[in-house]
Amino acid sequence: MSLQVEMEHGSKALIVRLKGELDHHTAEAVRDRMEDAISRGSVSHVIVNMRDLKFMDSSGLGVILGRYKQVASKGGKMVLCEVGPSVYRLFEMSGLFKILAVKENERQAISSLEVVS
């Protein structure tokens, strides 16, 4: 299975929807697309919707952590939403939930950023 990435630019937030598998085969392409969208636009915050993400490995964690650092360096925040059980467990084991917020859905994620998309 591959990965589909949908990006939507809000007023100050980039919403990234991932579908499929974020692993060592797809991580570089996702990293490049997100990095470009964050650096090119007036993006302050990133919301990553993982509702349709079926699998993620440590390469995916690296992508998320790297984009978190990129956004944080601009004074922004990253919020994850709709994280499935297996991916949630990976984040839990990695300790990334100590720095990343998780919300139930996109609406809550947007509200938590106090940003109108």
Side-chain angles (χ1 to χ4, degrees), residues 20 27 43 50 56 90:
V43 173
M50 300 184 161
M56 185 170 77
L90 183 63

Side-chain angles (χ1 to χ4, degrees), residues 1-7 16-35 50 52-64 67 87 90:
M1 183 178 224
S2 62
L3 181 75
Q4 295 175 344
V5 180
E6 178 188 319
M7 293 189 187
V16 180
R17 296 180 187 97
L18 302 174
K19 181 177 184 174
E21 299 181 355
L22 179 51
D23 57 19
H24 67 281
H25 297 291
T26 57
E28 185 177 348
V30 174
R31 182 191 71 227
D32 292 346
R33 284 190 64 192
M34 287 180 71
E35 191 173 273
M50 300 184 161
D52 296 318
L53 189 66
K54 303 302 179 208
F55 175 81
M56 185 170 77
D57 66 9
S58 60
S59 300
L61 286 176
V63 170
I64 299 299
R67 289 335 94 222
V87 175
L90 183 63

Side-chain angles (χ1 to χ4, degrees), residues 92-105:
E92 214 171 36
M93 291 187 314
S94 71
L96 284 180
F97 282 153
K98 292 176 183 170
I99 60 171
L100 293 171
V102 180
K103 298 297 176 186
E104 200 170 309
N105 56 47

Side-chain angles (χ1 to χ4, degrees), residues 50-83:
M50 300 184 161
R51 177 182 54 226
D52 296 318
L53 189 66
K54 303 302 179 208
F55 175 81
M56 185 170 77
D57 66 9
S58 60
S59 300
L61 286 176
V63 170
I64 299 299
L65 180 59
R67 289 335 94 222
Y68 163 80
K69 289 179 178 179
Q70 184 182 6
V71 169
S73 73
K74 297 172 77 171
K77 297 178 185 175
M78 178 180 277
V79 180
L80 308 178
C81 66
E82 301 192 48
V83 182

